[in-house]
Amino acid sequence: MNKKISLLIPTRKRFDTLKKIVEQLSVLELELVVGIDLDDNTYDIEYLESNGVVVVRTPCTEYLGNIYNVLFEYSSGDIIGIMSDDIEFTNLNKFQEVSHWYEKSNKNFLWYFSPCDNPYPHCVPDHCFITRNAIMSIGMLFPLGFEHGYLDHYLGRLYKEIDCAIQDPSAFIKHNRVKDETLIRKSYELDENNTTCDQRDMLLFNKICEIYLPIHKQIIISINI
């Protein structure tokens, strides 16, 4: 690979699924940066580190976007992959394709995967890759305060609306959503105001887009000239 790829993977109480990812990617020269909550003792840290995984003990917080920002600080790749602990990869050659494209084009585009024509106009379904340079230019990977689902909505709006996104129709990533305590807490659990995290994220999303989106768009445009 011409450009180094780092995959950021927050995880909680899913060692078995994470182990499958580590085993599947062991044949590739990738950097895996894994975030495990400080209060989570269900992982074999020695196993992970012996397999070259960068293990970061992350704060116990409901803000997933903040955790990704922490993991980014521990990464060293030229290309950053936003991943999760409940996925599998169906074509390992895609990593080399991604690396070669960024090397050849020298562009700061977001590369995302969606086999459908245009199912989510303001979203980045099934994970993505971004250049380190783009993240550093903005000053963050994600705006602070997102709990869950609107992380990919912000990336989608930022890159798609300025034609700096590549939609790859290949089924490169299979997302095996595990309905465990993590998914229930992030997608279904109600707070004292009877709202889900996605509903709370939507309110924050609208505020952040109003304030930051025009600035971030201009930054990405300027580094691609």
Side-chain angles (χ1 to χ4, degrees):
M1 295 183 184
N2 295 325
K3 282 187 176 282
K4 182 178 179 180
I5 296 176
S6 295
L7 303 184
L8 310 185
I9 307 178
T11 184
R12 179 173 177 80
K13 295 185 178 179
R14 291 178 177 172
F15 176 66
D16 289 342
T17 58
L18 178 65
K19 184 179 180 182
K20 291 178 181 178
I21 294 175
V22 173
E23 291 173 348
Q24 185 182 23
L25 299 181
S26 63
V27 297
L28 301 177
E29 294 184 9
L30 299 170
E31 179 180 61
L32 272 62
V33 183
V34 169
I36 303 172
D37 289 349
L38 284 169
D39 67 347
D40 187 350
N41 298 313
T42 63
Y43 288 78
D44 185 342
I45 305 297
E46 183 177 348
Y47 166 83
L48 294 174
E49 292 182 336
S50 68
N51 281 275
V53 177
V54 179
V55 177
V56 183
R57 299 312 299 257
T58 51
C60 303
T61 175
E62 66 269 28
Y63 300 117
L64 181 60
N66 298 14
I67 295 176
Y68 275 113
N69 285 331
V70 171
L71 298 184
F72 172 70
E73 295 298 324
Y74 286 84
S75 70
S76 60
D78 307 295
I79 304 163
I80 305 300
I82 311 303
M83 302 294 158
S84 61
D85 62 0
D86 55 356
I87 61 177
E88 61 180 291
F89 302 97
T90 59
N91 178 10
L92 297 185
N93 292 327
K94 181 62 67 174
F95 287 107
Q96 187 174 33
E97 180 184 336
V98 169
S99 177
H100 286 176
W101 183 89
Y102 278 111
E103 175 72 26
K104 184 178 179 180
S105 67
N106 200 33
K107 294 291 186 180
N108 294 284
F109 279 37
L110 177 143
W111 186 318
Y112 72 102
F113 301 87
S114 176
C116 304
D117 290 337
N118 192 23
Y120 307 106
H122 299 304
C123 185
V124 180
D126 289 337
H127 311 92
C128 62
F129 294 98
I130 319 173
T131 62
R132 171 174 295 276
N133 184 45
I135 298 168
M136 296 296 292
S137 297
I138 289 176
M140 67 184 78
L141 176 53
F142 290 115
L144 301 180
F146 283 129
E147 295 180 48
H148 180 42
Y150 275 73
L151 298 171
D152 50 1
H153 282 68
Y154 190 78
L155 289 180
R157 284 205 59 176
L158 171 58
Y159 286 90
K160 290 182 182 182
E161 290 185 6
I162 56 175
D163 294 324
C164 286
I166 299 173
Q167 177 182 336
D168 190 326
S170 64
F172 166 54
I173 296 172
K174 183 180 179 182
H175 198 169
N176 304 309
R177 296 185 185 275
V178 181
K179 194 171 182 180
D180 58 10
E181 70 165 66
T182 301
L183 180 63
I184 291 172
R185 176 169 55 87
K186 290 182 177 297
S187 299
Y188 304 109
E189 193 173 90
L190 300 176
D191 66 5
E192 64 274 9
N193 297 314
N194 207 37
T195 61
T196 66
C197 68
D198 279 350
Q199 291 170 326
R200 297 189 294 272
D201 274 353
M202 181 177 65
L203 297 176
L204 178 64
F205 174 76
N206 291 333
K207 293 179 181 178
I208 287 178
C209 284
E210 182 179 354
I211 298 171
Y212 291 108
L213 192 62
I215 300 171
H216 290 168
K217 283 182 179 179
Q218 190 54 52
I219 291 173
I220 299 302
I221 290 172
S222 66
I223 64 176
N224 278 305
I225 294 175

